[in-house]
Amino acid sequence: MSKQKVESILSQLDSSPTPRHLVAYLTAKLLQANFVDYSNQEIQNSQSGFIARAGSLVAWKNGKQTSKNGFRIVGAHTDSPGLRIKPNPDGRRFGFNTLQVEIYGSPLLNSWLDRDLGIAGHVVLKSGAIKLFRSVASVARISQLAVHLDREVNERGLILDKHLHLSPAWSSAQKAPSFLTWVAQQTKCTIRDIVQIDAQLFDTHNAAVVGADSSFIASGRLDNQASCWAAISALLESRSGAATQVVALFDHEEVGSESATGAAGPLLEHSLEQIAAVQGISRTGFLETLSNSSCISADNAHAVHHNYPERHDLSHGPIINQGPALKLNSNQRYATSSTSAAMFIAACSKAKVKHQVFVSRNNMPCGSTIGPITATRLGIDTVDVGVPQLSMHSAREVCGVNDLISLQLALKAYLN
Ligand code: ZN
């Protein structure tokens, strides 16, 4: 069983170099399970459905008594920090054809060096159609300066100029095709058909199980595609019940969530309102329903790093493979309240999985998540949880197999 689950995690990670690829992959799974696609049509009262908007997705299973039992929501984000290709990217320097990139979110920049990189994204065509693409082979590389030309690098640390030092080289031929020509070949479109390109780099190295006991998963984008996997697979496996079960996956968390499809936008609220309306719930009934609802916001946590234990509060630092972490912050960087924490603890005990508690050091402020945004927008009691991981925001991160499977089981217990 857990072998199957691990294979399904790896397959999702390898299929999803961008948020739109992830949404395409997950919607295909939902369609296989007879969820109805309401992305371009009015919601009807079917058993289950979904709305995909660019790199974001809301999917649900209707409950039998939503007005009384509310919505049970699991939220996560689809985007990860990285390097995006600029609109006029082509350059030629000292024998290399190069691409200009823009930094998205806050990646660990050094982690993008000396990797075999692919390019993935989508094009918008003159017809209005959108076409996804990804390179099959590795096509680009950002090379680190040799140690002989940067003698103090190991003592002083690597210093990268964000504008000068991150351009990948992607060919050396005098007459190489432009980036636009290459994208046209990848998408089998003509240059004249392509109006806009949205592209980013990704590590072509596949996701893998590592460790002498096979207890870790290493991959790009574990933050937060690991939680997306746990959320959607929990929804697919859960039985429908009294409450309406909802999974909301948002793009743009890494850049603040304020966008048309981000958690601070109207996507979740509008979806819930429509789901309630087709179940015959009035506007006032809907507001009442929200107060009976709850949300688990799943986003990875910092596991205690064996080489840097001083960076953690060791009484509140999650240990890898000891269970998903309940994330608390009294300054409301996390949305967890006493009641929502109790709800997650109950879900873990129902699923018979362990959980841990994460609070950051007082002199090391934590990042934020979509949890407080959802709680603020909808007034729904929300708990922030996450799988402990190392190397957060690296091009290749690592988390524990047991933690991820435990999170999935806890989410399923919560939805049920
Ligand atoms: Zn995250």
Side-chain angles (χ1 to χ4, degrees), residues 77 79 223-224 253-254 299-300 368-369 392-393:
H77 67 90
D79 61 324
D223 172 16
N224 191 20
E253 190 273 345
E254 298 291 355
D299 199 350
N300 296 1
S368 196
T369 71
M392 193 177 283
H393 291 194

Short mmCIF file of all heavy atoms in Angstrom, two decimals, residues 77 79 223-224 253-254 299-300 368-369 392-393, ligand 1:
data_model
loop_
_atom_site.label_atom_id
_atom_site.label_comp_id
_atom_site.label_asym_id
_atom_site.label_seq_id
_atom_site.Cartn_x
_atom_site.Cartn_y
_atom_site.Cartn_z
N HIS A 77 -0.46 24.95 -1.49
CA HIS A 77 -0.10 25.78 -2.65
C HIS A 77 0.65 24.99 -3.71
O HIS A 77 1.33 24.00 -3.41
CB HIS A 77 0.66 27.05 -2.24
CG HIS A 77 2.02 26.84 -1.65
ND1 HIS A 77 3.16 26.81 -2.43
CD2 HIS A 77 2.45 26.67 -0.38
CE1 HIS A 77 4.22 26.64 -1.65
NE2 HIS A 77 3.82 26.55 -0.39
N ASP A 79 2.71 26.43 -6.19
CA ASP A 79 3.93 27.05 -6.75
C ASP A 79 5.14 26.79 -5.87
O ASP A 79 5.00 26.49 -4.68
CB ASP A 79 3.73 28.56 -6.95
CG ASP A 79 3.43 29.29 -5.64
OD1 ASP A 79 2.74 28.72 -4.76
OD2 ASP A 79 3.90 30.44 -5.48
N ASP A 223 7.98 21.37 -1.40
CA ASP A 223 7.22 22.52 -0.86
C ASP A 223 6.56 23.19 -2.07
O ASP A 223 7.23 23.88 -2.80
CB ASP A 223 8.19 23.47 -0.14
CG ASP A 223 7.52 24.78 0.26
OD1 ASP A 223 6.29 24.86 0.26
OD2 ASP A 223 8.27 25.75 0.56
N ASN A 224 5.29 22.97 -2.44
CA ASN A 224 4.38 22.33 -1.55
C ASN A 224 3.58 21.26 -2.29
O ASN A 224 2.47 20.93 -1.93
CB ASN A 224 3.48 23.42 -0.94
CG ASN A 224 2.67 22.91 0.20
OD1 ASN A 224 2.97 21.92 0.81
ND2 ASN A 224 1.58 23.59 0.46
N GLU A 253 1.60 31.45 -3.75
CA GLU A 253 1.84 31.59 -2.31
C GLU A 253 3.25 32.12 -2.06
O GLU A 253 3.48 32.90 -1.14
CB GLU A 253 1.67 30.23 -1.62
CG GLU A 253 1.66 30.30 -0.10
CD GLU A 253 3.04 30.22 0.56
OE1 GLU A 253 4.01 29.82 -0.13
OE2 GLU A 253 3.16 30.55 1.74
N GLU A 254 4.19 31.68 -2.89
CA GLU A 254 5.60 32.06 -2.68
C GLU A 254 5.85 33.53 -2.95
O GLU A 254 6.93 34.04 -2.67
CB GLU A 254 6.52 31.19 -3.55
CG GLU A 254 6.45 29.69 -3.24
CD GLU A 254 7.05 29.33 -1.88
OE1 GLU A 254 7.59 30.23 -1.21
OE2 GLU A 254 6.96 28.16 -1.50
N ASP A 299 1.32 22.86 4.61
CA ASP A 299 2.51 23.41 3.96
C ASP A 299 3.71 22.92 4.77
O ASP A 299 3.66 22.91 6.01
CB ASP A 299 2.43 24.94 3.96
CG ASP A 299 3.36 25.57 2.94
OD1 ASP A 299 4.21 24.84 2.37
OD2 ASP A 299 3.25 26.79 2.73
N ASN A 300 4.78 22.57 4.09
CA ASN A 300 5.88 21.88 4.76
C ASN A 300 6.50 22.72 5.88
O ASN A 300 6.50 23.95 5.82
CB ASN A 300 6.95 21.48 3.75
CG ASN A 300 6.42 20.46 2.75
OD1 ASN A 300 5.25 20.07 2.82
ND2 ASN A 300 7.26 20.03 1.83
N SER A 368 5.26 32.46 6.29
CA SER A 368 3.82 32.34 6.47
C SER A 368 3.27 31.31 5.48
O SER A 368 4.01 30.70 4.73
CB SER A 368 3.13 33.68 6.31
OG SER A 368 1.81 33.58 6.84
N THR A 369 1.96 31.11 5.52
CA THR A 369 1.31 30.11 4.67
C THR A 369 -0.02 30.69 4.20
O THR A 369 -0.36 31.82 4.54
CB THR A 369 1.01 28.82 5.47
OG1 THR A 369 -0.05 29.12 6.39
CG2 THR A 369 2.21 28.33 6.24
N MET A 392 14.46 23.54 2.50
CA MET A 392 13.29 24.24 1.95
C MET A 392 13.73 25.33 0.98
O MET A 392 14.64 26.09 1.26
CB MET A 392 12.45 24.84 3.08
CG MET A 392 11.08 25.29 2.60
SD MET A 392 10.05 25.91 3.95
CE MET A 392 9.54 24.39 4.73
N HIS A 393 13.07 25.38 -0.17
CA HIS A 393 13.32 26.34 -1.26
C HIS A 393 14.58 26.03 -2.06
O HIS A 393 15.05 26.86 -2.85
CB HIS A 393 13.31 27.79 -0.78
CG HIS A 393 11.95 28.26 -0.37
ND1 HIS A 393 11.63 29.60 -0.16
CD2 HIS A 393 10.80 27.58 -0.15
CE1 HIS A 393 10.36 29.70 0.18
NE2 HIS A 393 9.84 28.48 0.20
ZN ZN B 1 5.33 26.37 1.14
#
